[in-house]
Amino acid sequence: MIRVALAGERGKTGGAVAAFLRAAEDVDYVGGFGSDTDAGDFLAQHGPQVLVDFTQGPAARPLALAAVAAGAAPVVGSTGMSAEDVDAIEAACGQAGLGGVVAPNFSVGAVVMMWLAEKAAPYFDSVEIIEAHAATKLDKPSGTALATAKRLGGDPPIHSLRLPGIVADQEVVFGLAGQTLTIAHRTTSREAYGPGVLLAIKKVFQERRFYRGMDSILGLD
């Protein structure tokens, strides 16, 4: 059993992931906390081996570093992190001999969608990205859309929608003379993040390796 804690449990995504972890047979879910809790005290009291983080970007780096200092591998799903933030977390994990992962999206379908889009890109003249999220999502474009654009190269246009009734959708639309190709991923509930998070927890705990994204964890590299 892997002892796992969750930062951001009170958020919509965090709450769904917490429910998934509670039901997982090979996880001992030791609890979650929000922004009004001292992370260091919580980690010292509960002793998790992995800390899953679904908070907002500015809190992610200090939380991950606090986790490493407490001997817990960070599994970070927060968006809005800089390359410097990720570098700092990776360096801390390496010094502590811990695994970790920072990923823009833990949905298996979304990760495969980005991988397929990257494979398709060389065969088309143009590409644009359409991403849609709930109206409450603060960042625009989404971290997934930015990660997709980076993988495609050439700074493709990104169109962002923020509307009630949507969880998280993305389309990558390619164009060539007389034809288009659309690679799309639809999220019907926030349960979609659970399987990827659980797989990441097992990988970073067992292999003590740092991952930038889910591709290597899914064997797509």
Side-chain angles (χ1 to χ4, degrees):
M1 298 284 280
I2 306 172
R3 296 192 307 277
V4 179
L6 174 64
E9 184 187 48
R10 297 169 193 164
K12 291 181 179 179
T13 301
V17 172
F20 189 91
L21 294 176
R22 288 190 190 97
E25 295 182 355
D26 39 8
V27 165
D28 178 12
Y29 183 64
V30 301
F33 60 94
S35 59
D36 58 346
T37 300
D38 184 284
D41 289 346
F42 182 95
L43 293 166
Q45 180 180 352
H46 294 84
Q49 295 164 301
V50 175
L51 175 66
V52 178
D53 177 19
F54 273 96
T55 60
Q56 296 298 320
R61 177 173 173 172
L63 275 172
L65 297 180
V68 172
V75 172
V76 184
S78 299
T79 57
M81 297 185 68
S82 68
E84 181 183 354
D85 291 332
V86 181
D87 289 343
I89 296 169
E90 181 176 15
C93 287
Q95 292 171 3
L98 294 170
V101 58
V102 176
N105 200 316
F106 281 98
S107 167
V108 172
V111 176
V112 174
M113 175 265 298
M114 288 188 279
W115 178 75
L116 289 171
E118 185 176 11
K119 297 297 183 184
Y123 301 98
F124 293 87
D125 290 339
S126 59
V127 59
E128 301 199 9
I129 299 167
I130 305 169
E131 59 96 353
H133 284 78
T136 53
K137 185 172 178 62
L138 299 177
D139 54 319
K140 184 191 296 186
S142 69
T144 300
L146 292 172
T148 305
K150 183 177 180 180
R151 293 178 66 153
L152 295 176
D155 195 24
I158 301 175
H159 309 277
S160 298
L161 303 176
R162 295 292 178 266
L163 297 168
I166 297 173
V167 179
D169 298 338
Q170 181 170 294
E171 296 182 6
V172 185
V173 185
F174 295 94
L176 191 62
Q179 60 195 296
T180 63
L181 171 69
T182 299
I183 300 175
H185 176 252
R186 311 290 184 201
T187 303
T188 57
S189 84
R190 290 178 173 82
E191 292 178 339
Y193 304 109
V197 168
L198 183 58
L199 182 58
I201 288 170
K202 293 177 180 179
K203 281 284 189 178
V204 302
F205 179 74
Q206 294 168 357
E207 299 183 3
R208 295 183 177 272
R209 172 184 166 187
F210 189 86
Y211 296 89
R212 292 175 179 248
M214 287 287 291
D215 284 57
S216 294
I217 290 175
L218 293 176
L220 298 177
D221 53 0

